[in-house]
Amino acid sequence: PIVLQLSPGQQFEYSRIADELNATGFETEPFGQKTIAVKAAPAGLAPGDIEKVVLEILDIAERELRSATLEEIRRDVCATIACRAAIKINMRLETPKIEWLLRALAACEYPMTCPHGRPIALRSSTNAILRSFHRI
């Protein structure tokens, strides 16, 4: 397991949202006074990102979700996991994977933003592109 040291605020939030973390694919448990053990994480989350994601979720919960419902917490946890597991810039993909991703994106309810609402695609006119490259 990965053992994480928590601040007092993170400890409080962990006790409040532990069930939601576990419901979204994490397997966590208290491990001593100020630590938790993360024994499993959702598929697609790189091992190096597990600590960052759990601490990010706890920090977000501490800052923004104190008055949030369990459904809002679950949605935010899932959005954070999805964004961390997403394909990143300069990641090489084979053509079949690209085609599959585009079909899956087209089937989404909100295909132009990530789960947090940030844009993932932009529309630019040909003139705007040409201006950017000083062609007109």
Side-chain angles (χ1 to χ4, degrees):
I2 297 172
V3 178
L4 304 179
Q5 188 81 18
L6 304 182
S7 69
Q10 290 170 329
Q11 288 174 292
F12 174 79
E13 292 306 322
Y14 174 75
S15 66
R16 191 170 76 92
I17 68 167
D19 290 340
E20 291 306 310
L21 273 175
N22 292 329
T24 56
F26 287 96
E27 186 180 326
T28 65
E29 63 183 34
F31 191 77
Q33 288 250 322
K34 297 179 182 178
T35 57
I36 60 171
V38 182
K39 295 181 174 183
L45 196 57
D49 284 339
I50 294 170
E51 179 177 354
K52 292 178 207 165
V53 169
V54 171
L55 294 177
E56 181 180 333
I57 290 167
L58 293 173
D59 288 340
I60 290 170
E62 187 177 7
R63 282 192 322 271
E64 301 170 12
L65 299 176
R66 281 263 163 96
S67 61
T69 66
L70 289 179
E71 182 59 34
E72 290 168 326
I73 292 169
R74 182 176 293 132
R75 188 173 47 248
D76 192 68
V77 168
C78 290
T80 298
I81 293 167
C83 283
R84 287 289 181 165
I87 294 166
K88 304 294 189 263
I89 192 167
N90 294 326
M91 206 178 218
R92 295 194 61 83
L93 299 174
E94 299 295 325
T95 301
K97 179 73 169 188
I98 295 169
E99 291 169 351
W100 175 84
L101 284 168
L102 290 173
R103 281 192 305 277
L105 181 63
C108 290
E109 187 175 353
Y110 302 105
M112 301 304 280
T113 63
C114 78
H116 288 106
R118 293 183 209 101
I120 61 167
L122 301 172
R123 174 178 254 164
S124 295
S125 69
T126 302
N127 282 341
I129 294 170
L130 291 173
R131 270 194 304 279
S132 296
F133 287 98
H134 304 288
R135 298 288 184 194
I136 58 171

